[in-house]
Amino acid sequence: MRKSILLPLLSVLLLSPGTATAAPTPTPSPAVRDFGNGPDRNDEAALIPEQFAAKAAETAIPAFDHNRGYPRHTALPIPPENPADASIKLGLIPHHAIAARLNDLQARSDRVSAEIIGRSAGGRDLYLVTVTAPETAAQAREQERLRQRIESGHQIPANRYKAPIYVNANIHGNEWEGTDAALRVIEELATDPAAGDLLKTTRLYFNVTANPDGRVGNKRANDNGFDLNRDFVTASQPEDRAMRQIMIDTQPVTMIDLHGYVNGTLVEPTTPPHGANYEYDLFIRNAYPNGLGIEAAINGLGYTPDKDGVFPVQIPFRDLDEGWDDWPPIFTPQYAPFHGAVAAHTIEFPMQVNNAAYNTLPVEELRRRAQINVNIASAAIHATYSFVKANHDRLIGDQTEVFRRGAAGEPSRVVPLGSVPGFGPEDQWNTTFPRAYTIAAGSPAAARLVDHLIANDVKVGRAVLPFRSGGRTYPAGTYVVDMHQPKRGLANVMLEPGQDISPRVNAMYDISGWSHALLWGATVQPLSDYRVVAEPVRVAAPTGFVPPGHGALALQLTDENDVIALNALLGRGVQVTWTANGRAVLPDSARPAARELADRYGVRFSRSGTAAGAALAPVRVTAAASADDLFTLREMGFSVTPVSTAVLNAGYDWSATDVLFVSSGLNYGALNPAAKAALEAYLTGGGVVTRGATGAAFNAATALLPVTAVAGRSDANGVVRLTSGDYSFVYSPRWFTGLGAGVRAEQTYDSFVSGHWRPNEDGTGGQDAAKGQAAVVSGRSARGAAAVLFGTEPMFRNHPKALFPQVAQALYWTAGTSGASR
Ligand SMILES: [Zn+2]
């Protein structure tokens, strides 16, 4: 039995510092984003085994070897045959057969090199294939030297440099055909004598399948349940870290990302808004012509609506007003420009074979469609390398100019109207670069941010001496990001607060707000001048600290790593007391463990005088949660048992549950009588933490806290400021009104900082309506259950790191008040 923790303890909780179904008759499918292919993250519970999250954290991405010549023949290990691979039904290559195919191509051609560049969440090999004319080691080193010259913004003799092209396939696992097209084109290039000239002037890099877990498993996400084409600014998943490393190491001038399914085929460039941190004049003048070339190649295949069900290509930039934008750098082609791609394209094949079509159409029809998609994807690859071959020197020059402007610290340029046909005022998006940013050193959050920037190839320095700027003094050791650097666009897109773009845009495709500066817990300041003596940083300095001497130690939960360390201490049986300030206190005898964890996680312990409070034990969480929530709960070191409505209906033993977390896939009304009775018994004293629509509905159905949950506009999202002065993140925001007896507002909305949040058509649900309303509430139900309800999104896609400890504190608090015995 646990001791009860008094309700007022929770008040520190939130003060952390810091189509479509298969259509027998062909119809064009609207250019609606293919995220419609998956269930809403509030509808389906993730039932993912724990092993995958752990693997994702461990997977190291090898650095690219610039010192070897080509070809680099690697004998790829052959995975065991898997007759259940979803590709087989479509007549496409299963993941287990790719390695043998690549080994064969390497044996037959001195143009083909294959290597393993990482492993998926599910442990499957990721293959990078390089196709180029043979190079000696000296020639490869010379190519790398030229690449570095370009990256530093220096002109090179372009005729001596092989333009890098990147083809990314199958990032959505159930959009299969990019992989088969890549293998087809690799095979053509391996042997075709006519390809000799192309391969002397280019290197083509193929990420053969970016998402083998999804390819095998007939699903959009990887085995952690993450959409890999939303993860580039966060890089929580090993597949994204592998793609990021490809883009840094190979520095493609042009890239294409192969998806499905939009009929007629969708080919970017995009509608506005355009990312404000790009050198967009250099981008659009290459991306638009390449898009037109891809269109011509695809339409040139001769497919027709009547004969084949294939409609003509659409280009969002030209053919749509809004809704297919390149604002957030979370997608591959919207991340690649920061590493020098001056043309980057999502391409959506036309013929649907996934979801309902996969399960209902005859196999022959599925295979007919899949072959059309392979042909279209191959045409897109052909068109792209032909474009690069024809515009080789200009693309290299434009990439050089991107980096030169960054290194010189030039202002963001306004792209002239009409610079390509149709480029209007709605396409003009700009930002203001500060001279530099500082990141205050000494916290795990600062170390995390610095290491993340470095992993993204952003240069970070450390002040050797104290310095002054803007009337403030910064101590020696402060991290500094000099914005006169080649990749300043990437630095700024992560460190600026962002913009509230609601006034200029009605419909957005995905998120519109993010900010590593405001949401990752470090203290980040822009500087208007830069007079700092700094030394380059390769890795953030250690931050862990245990005060010397003897006596009890305290750990304030302000960072995810604090939570990880606390859960590790609890797991080792250390006697932890949860005190009145949201602090964990451990006895003097735990000092060896504290020193080890301080060293490993960078957490900072302080002296503690008293240990008045409740004893804390490891918290066992039962979670009906979205995949990203589940991943983050486990990342924090909680023991989580995933459940869903169906799992509970099959009979669930609640005796080992300290807290129930509800954010997705639990519908109280759909529980059978036995499951309801078992749940009700748990709720008599059992703690609950909820998030979002599903959580609010659960609270209402079970009559836990007497509040009314109000939904904001469903597509609203971004960074919000709270009345406490802290920042939070929302997506489909909610707030709570009519707070009954014993319910307190833990957080209150103040203002919207960045992102997109308009009111509904009827004027409700806007950012003004949320102002002053409770964003997070806590309290105790009439049955004694402690509950915390989040209207914010504290674990969204594993991104808002500074908010994770809020969930942890809610779990410790509600578990502490529960009646669960162990
Ligand atoms: Zn896709």
Side-chain angles (χ1 to χ4, degrees), residues 506 710-716 735 757-767 769:
N506 183 44
V710 181
R713 181 164 139 169
S714 62
D715 65 351
W735 54 92
W757 187 349
R758 282 190 168 190
N760 296 307
E761 295 286 309
D762 65 2
T764 63
Q767 43 181 282

Side-chain angles (χ1 to χ4, degrees), residues 106-143:
Q106 290 182 96
R108 285 162 46 203
S109 172
D110 62 2
R111 298 168 169 178
V112 178
S113 305
E115 58 203 302
I116 292 171
I117 52 158
R119 289 204 170 74
S120 69
R124 297 181 175 88
D125 289 338
L126 304 170
Y127 306 116
L128 179 70
V129 173
T130 306
V131 184
T132 195
E135 293 172 24
T136 64
Q139 287 170 328
R141 281 195 296 272
E142 173 65 2
Q143 288 298 304

Side-chain angles (χ1 to χ4, degrees), residues 3 13 17 49 121 208 328 330-331 567 584 732 758:
K3 282 192 200 160
L13 206 168
V208 177
I330 57 175
F331 318 106
N567 280 332
S732 297
R758 282 190 168 190

